[in-house]
């Protein structure tokens, strides 16, 4: 078995992965980002319907964190009643490749486990 040397470059890569996980970790964030990613713009209630099992309070908390990390933009619409709409920032859109790769891997994994 080949032993991999620990280099400063490897340590930076591991730190970058940890930074990514700090922003994206948890049960809901990837699902929320995916909902917005696949539909471009989503209202709060749309995301709530897309992400099975999430509560209003948890969705609100997660969206605030994603907004704080510049992944999503929140826009309050001038409607009656007030509508809040979410979309990915330019920075958030850089996650689209990861979301697509996760989807492809998930489908492949499902086929591997449950058969084709």
């Amino acid at each position: 078995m080949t032993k991999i040397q620990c280099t400063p470059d490897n340590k930076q890569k591991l730190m970058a992965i940890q930074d990514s996980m700090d922003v994206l970790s948890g049960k809901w964030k990837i699902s929320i980002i995916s909902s917005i990613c696949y539909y471009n713009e989503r209202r709060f209630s749309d995301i709530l319907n897309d992400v099975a099992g999430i509560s209003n309070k948890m969705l609100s908390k997660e969206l605030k964190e994603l907004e704080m990390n510049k992944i999503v933009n929140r826009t309050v619409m001038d409607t009656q009643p007030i509508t809040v709409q979410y979309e990915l920032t330019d920075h958030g859109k850089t996650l689209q490749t990861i979301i697509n790769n996760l989807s492809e891997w998930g489908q492949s994994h499902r086929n591997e486990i449950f058969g084709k």
Side-chain angles (χ1 to χ4, degrees):
M1 182 157 74
T2 307
K3 192 171 184 176
I4 298 174
Q5 293 292 325
C6 185
T7 65
D9 187 48
N10 288 343
K11 285 189 179 250
Q12 285 182 333
K13 288 178 181 178
L14 289 172
M15 273 197 318
I17 289 170
Q18 188 59 53
D19 291 344
S20 300
M21 294 305 297
D22 287 345
V23 174
L24 302 173
S25 68
K27 185 175 179 178
W28 309 110
K29 284 196 178 82
I30 296 292
S31 296
I32 293 165
I33 293 167
S34 298
S35 171
I36 300 167
C37 180
Y38 287 133
Y39 292 98
N40 294 322
E41 298 175 339
R42 295 305 268 169
R43 294 182 327 218
F44 185 92
S45 60
D46 295 330
I47 301 169
L48 197 60
N49 289 329
D50 290 343
V51 181
I54 195 168
S55 68
N56 282 354
K57 184 177 178 181
M58 181 58 72
L59 178 55
S60 180
K61 175 189 165 291
E62 297 286 56
L63 285 166
K64 283 177 186 168
E65 287 181 20
L66 289 169
E67 188 178 7
M68 181 185 71
N69 282 295
K70 300 183 179 182
I71 305 296
V72 299
N73 275 331
R74 178 181 189 267
T75 305
V76 178
M77 310 301 282
D78 188 19
T79 58
Q80 213 44 32
I82 291 175
T83 305
V84 178
Q85 192 166 290
Y86 295 89
E87 61 186 327
L88 295 178
T89 61
D90 287 340
H91 180 58
K93 288 176 184 174
T94 63
L95 293 167
Q96 287 178 319
T97 302
I98 294 169
I99 298 299
N100 290 335
N101 288 343
L102 279 172
S103 177
E104 289 172 16
W105 186 88
Q107 290 170 353
S108 174
H109 179 67
R110 180 176 290 272
N111 290 339
E112 180 72 25
I113 299 301
F114 296 112
K116 295 178 179 161

